[in-house]
Short mmCIF file of all heavy atoms in Angstrom, two decimals:
data_model
loop_
_atom_site.label_atom_id
_atom_site.label_comp_id
_atom_site.label_asym_id
_atom_site.label_seq_id
_atom_site.Cartn_x
_atom_site.Cartn_y
_atom_site.Cartn_z
N ASP A 263 36.36 -70.00 14.19
CA ASP A 263 35.21 -70.97 14.31
C ASP A 263 34.32 -71.16 13.07
O ASP A 263 33.95 -72.19 12.78
CB ASP A 263 34.30 -70.55 15.45
CG ASP A 263 35.01 -70.65 16.81
OD1 ASP A 263 36.00 -71.25 17.00
OD2 ASP A 263 34.38 -69.96 17.85
N LEU A 264 34.18 -69.93 12.33
CA LEU A 264 33.31 -70.05 11.13
C LEU A 264 33.96 -70.16 9.85
O LEU A 264 33.32 -70.36 8.77
CB LEU A 264 32.38 -68.84 11.10
CG LEU A 264 31.47 -68.68 12.38
CD1 LEU A 264 30.87 -67.31 12.55
CD2 LEU A 264 30.45 -69.72 12.48
N GLY A 265 35.31 -69.90 9.74
CA GLY A 265 36.14 -70.14 8.68
C GLY A 265 36.01 -69.00 7.58
O GLY A 265 36.38 -69.21 6.45
N VAL A 266 35.48 -67.91 7.92
CA VAL A 266 35.37 -66.68 7.16
C VAL A 266 35.73 -65.53 7.98
O VAL A 266 35.28 -65.54 9.22
CB VAL A 266 33.91 -66.54 6.56
CG1 VAL A 266 33.80 -65.37 5.72
CG2 VAL A 266 33.53 -67.72 5.73
N ASP A 267 36.19 -64.50 7.41
CA ASP A 267 36.53 -63.30 8.22
C ASP A 267 35.16 -62.62 8.73
O ASP A 267 34.28 -62.53 7.97
CB ASP A 267 37.19 -62.25 7.25
CG ASP A 267 38.60 -62.54 7.09
OD1 ASP A 267 39.32 -63.25 7.89
OD2 ASP A 267 39.11 -62.21 6.07
N TYR A 268 35.17 -62.41 10.06
CA TYR A 268 33.98 -61.86 10.65
C TYR A 268 34.49 -60.62 11.55
O TYR A 268 35.53 -60.69 12.10
CB TYR A 268 33.28 -62.84 11.55
CG TYR A 268 32.17 -63.52 10.90
CD1 TYR A 268 32.49 -64.77 10.18
CD2 TYR A 268 30.91 -63.09 10.94
CE1 TYR A 268 31.52 -65.45 9.59
CE2 TYR A 268 29.82 -63.81 10.27
CZ TYR A 268 30.23 -64.94 9.55
OH TYR A 268 29.20 -65.59 8.90
N TRP A 269 33.50 -59.77 11.55
CA TRP A 269 33.69 -58.50 12.45
C TRP A 269 32.59 -58.42 13.48
O TRP A 269 31.50 -58.75 13.12
CB TRP A 269 33.75 -57.32 11.69
CG TRP A 269 35.04 -57.07 10.85
CD1 TRP A 269 36.15 -56.53 11.22
CD2 TRP A 269 35.41 -57.79 9.58
NE1 TRP A 269 37.16 -56.55 10.34
CE2 TRP A 269 36.81 -57.34 9.18
CE3 TRP A 269 34.73 -58.60 8.71
CZ2 TRP A 269 37.35 -57.75 8.14
CZ3 TRP A 269 35.38 -59.13 7.54
CH2 TRP A 269 36.65 -58.71 7.26
N VAL A 270 32.87 -57.70 14.54
CA VAL A 270 31.85 -57.40 15.51
C VAL A 270 31.47 -55.98 15.50
O VAL A 270 32.33 -55.12 15.58
CB VAL A 270 32.39 -57.85 16.94
CG1 VAL A 270 31.26 -57.53 18.03
CG2 VAL A 270 32.74 -59.31 17.07
N VAL A 271 30.21 -55.63 15.46
CA VAL A 271 29.77 -54.27 15.50
C VAL A 271 30.10 -53.79 16.99
O VAL A 271 29.75 -54.30 18.01
CB VAL A 271 28.22 -54.09 15.37
CG1 VAL A 271 27.68 -52.68 15.55
CG2 VAL A 271 27.89 -54.54 13.93
N ASN A 272 30.91 -52.64 17.03
CA ASN A 272 31.34 -52.00 18.24
C ASN A 272 30.57 -51.02 18.91
O ASN A 272 30.59 -50.57 19.92
CB ASN A 272 32.73 -51.68 18.05
CG ASN A 272 33.55 -51.33 19.44
OD1 ASN A 272 33.42 -52.20 20.24
ND2 ASN A 272 34.29 -50.29 19.46
N GLN A 273 29.67 -50.36 18.01
CA GLN A 273 28.61 -49.39 18.53
C GLN A 273 27.37 -49.60 17.78
O GLN A 273 27.36 -49.74 16.58
CB GLN A 273 29.28 -47.97 18.15
CG GLN A 273 28.20 -46.93 18.57
CD GLN A 273 28.76 -45.50 18.18
OE1 GLN A 273 29.97 -45.17 18.34
NE2 GLN A 273 27.88 -44.74 17.54
N GLN A 274 26.30 -49.70 18.60
CA GLN A 274 24.94 -49.88 18.06
C GLN A 274 24.79 -48.76 17.09
O GLN A 274 25.21 -47.56 17.34
CB GLN A 274 23.93 -49.88 19.15
CG GLN A 274 22.53 -49.85 18.79
CD GLN A 274 21.61 -49.90 19.92
OE1 GLN A 274 21.62 -50.76 20.73
NE2 GLN A 274 20.78 -48.87 20.09
N PHE A 275 23.92 -48.96 15.93
CA PHE A 275 23.58 -47.85 15.11
C PHE A 275 22.17 -48.27 14.55
O PHE A 275 21.71 -49.45 14.68
CB PHE A 275 24.50 -47.67 14.00
CG PHE A 275 24.56 -48.74 12.95
CD1 PHE A 275 23.88 -48.69 11.78
CD2 PHE A 275 25.54 -49.73 13.14
CE1 PHE A 275 24.00 -49.65 10.88
CE2 PHE A 275 25.72 -50.78 12.18
CZ PHE A 275 24.80 -50.70 11.11
N THR A 276 21.49 -47.30 14.14
CA THR A 276 20.11 -47.48 13.48
C THR A 276 20.09 -47.01 12.10
O THR A 276 20.74 -46.04 11.75
CB THR A 276 19.06 -46.64 14.34
OG1 THR A 276 19.04 -47.14 15.73
CG2 THR A 276 17.65 -46.75 13.74
N CYS A 277 19.40 -47.74 11.37
CA CYS A 277 19.17 -47.44 9.88
C CYS A 277 17.78 -47.17 9.73
O CYS A 277 16.87 -47.86 9.96
CB CYS A 277 19.63 -48.63 9.02
SG CYS A 277 19.35 -48.37 7.27
N ILE A 278 17.56 -45.85 9.27
CA ILE A 278 16.12 -45.48 8.88
C ILE A 278 15.77 -46.01 7.50
O ILE A 278 16.54 -45.61 6.60
CB ILE A 278 15.99 -43.95 8.81
CG1 ILE A 278 16.63 -43.18 10.14
CG2 ILE A 278 14.60 -43.49 8.66
CD1 ILE A 278 16.13 -43.51 11.45
N LEU A 279 14.88 -46.94 7.45
CA LEU A 279 14.60 -47.51 6.23
C LEU A 279 13.46 -46.77 5.48
O LEU A 279 13.60 -46.46 4.12
CB LEU A 279 13.97 -49.00 6.49
CG LEU A 279 14.97 -49.93 7.12
CD1 LEU A 279 14.11 -51.23 7.56
CD2 LEU A 279 16.17 -50.21 6.22
N ASP A 280 12.60 -46.09 6.18
CA ASP A 280 11.50 -45.21 5.53
C ASP A 280 11.04 -44.27 6.62
O ASP A 280 10.23 -44.70 7.44
CB ASP A 280 10.53 -46.17 4.87
CG ASP A 280 9.50 -45.13 4.12
OD1 ASP A 280 9.20 -44.11 4.52
OD2 ASP A 280 8.94 -45.75 3.10
N ALA A 281 11.54 -43.05 6.54
CA ALA A 281 11.15 -42.17 7.54
C ALA A 281 9.62 -41.87 7.55
O ALA A 281 9.01 -41.68 8.64
CB ALA A 281 11.96 -40.73 7.38
N GLU A 282 8.97 -41.74 6.39
CA GLU A 282 7.64 -41.37 6.32
C GLU A 282 6.76 -42.52 6.94
O GLU A 282 5.73 -42.27 7.66
CB GLU A 282 7.31 -41.19 4.89
CG GLU A 282 7.65 -39.93 4.31
CD GLU A 282 7.32 -39.80 2.77
OE1 GLU A 282 6.34 -40.44 2.35
OE2 GLU A 282 7.81 -38.82 2.15
N LYS A 283 7.20 -43.76 6.89
CA LYS A 283 6.46 -44.93 7.47
C LYS A 283 6.97 -45.22 8.91
O LYS A 283 6.58 -46.20 9.41
CB LYS A 283 6.54 -46.16 6.44
CG LYS A 283 5.92 -45.95 5.21
CD LYS A 283 5.96 -47.12 4.40
CE LYS A 283 5.27 -46.93 2.97
NZ LYS A 283 5.42 -48.13 2.09
N ASP A 284 8.03 -44.42 9.39
CA ASP A 284 8.71 -44.81 10.64
C ASP A 284 9.11 -46.30 10.75
O ASP A 284 8.81 -47.03 11.63
CB ASP A 284 7.75 -44.51 11.74
CG ASP A 284 8.37 -44.58 13.17
OD1 ASP A 284 9.69 -44.30 13.19
OD2 ASP A 284 7.71 -44.69 14.14
N GLN A 285 9.84 -46.66 9.53
CA GLN A 285 10.47 -47.94 9.55
C GLN A 285 12.01 -47.76 9.80
O GLN A 285 12.51 -47.15 9.08
CB GLN A 285 10.17 -48.54 8.21
CG GLN A 285 8.68 -48.77 8.01
CD GLN A 285 8.32 -49.43 6.54
OE1 GLN A 285 9.15 -49.18 5.65
NE2 GLN A 285 7.30 -50.23 6.52
N PHE A 286 12.44 -48.60 10.65
CA PHE A 286 13.86 -48.66 10.94
C PHE A 286 14.34 -49.92 11.47
O PHE A 286 13.47 -50.84 11.82
CB PHE A 286 14.32 -47.48 11.92
CG PHE A 286 13.73 -47.72 13.21
CD1 PHE A 286 14.43 -48.30 14.21
CD2 PHE A 286 12.51 -47.16 13.57
CE1 PHE A 286 13.99 -48.37 15.54
CE2 PHE A 286 12.05 -47.10 14.95
CZ PHE A 286 12.67 -47.91 15.83
N VAL A 287 15.57 -50.14 11.50
CA VAL A 287 16.16 -51.31 12.11
C VAL A 287 17.38 -50.94 12.91
O VAL A 287 18.22 -50.03 12.46
CB VAL A 287 16.64 -52.40 11.10
CG1 VAL A 287 17.55 -51.93 10.08
CG2 VAL A 287 17.20 -53.73 11.74
N THR A 288 17.60 -51.58 14.16
CA THR A 288 18.72 -51.07 15.04
C THR A 288 19.58 -52.37 15.07
O THR A 288 19.21 -53.44 15.37
CB THR A 288 18.30 -50.68 16.32
OG1 THR A 288 17.42 -49.63 16.28
CG2 THR A 288 19.45 -50.48 17.27
N ILE A 289 20.88 -52.12 14.61
CA ILE A 289 21.97 -53.16 14.69
C ILE A 289 22.63 -53.07 16.11
O ILE A 289 23.29 -52.00 16.35
CB ILE A 289 22.97 -52.96 13.60
CG1 ILE A 289 22.26 -52.79 12.22
CG2 ILE A 289 23.96 -54.19 13.60
CD1 ILE A 289 21.22 -53.84 11.77
N PRO A 290 22.55 -54.10 16.93
CA PRO A 290 23.04 -53.90 18.24
C PRO A 290 24.64 -54.19 18.25
O PRO A 290 25.26 -54.82 17.45
CB PRO A 290 22.47 -55.04 18.93
CG PRO A 290 22.12 -56.08 17.96
CD PRO A 290 21.89 -55.30 16.61
#
């Protein structure tokens, strides 16, 4: 559909961006 190789995240994961500031992002 998009004309470029794409993958689907198969397991949610979290990336801690800054532990001291409690900043993170969760990729679903």
Side-chain angles (χ1 to χ4, degrees):
D263 292 348
L264 300 171
V266 177
D267 286 334
Y268 269 89
W269 288 262
V270 178
V271 173
N272 194 41
Q273 175 183 316
Q274 174 179 296
F275 69 92
T276 297
C277 176
I278 313 297
L279 301 168
D280 189 323
E282 289 180 13
K283 295 180 181 178
D284 191 26
Q285 294 177 331
F286 65 90
V287 61
T288 299
I289 310 305

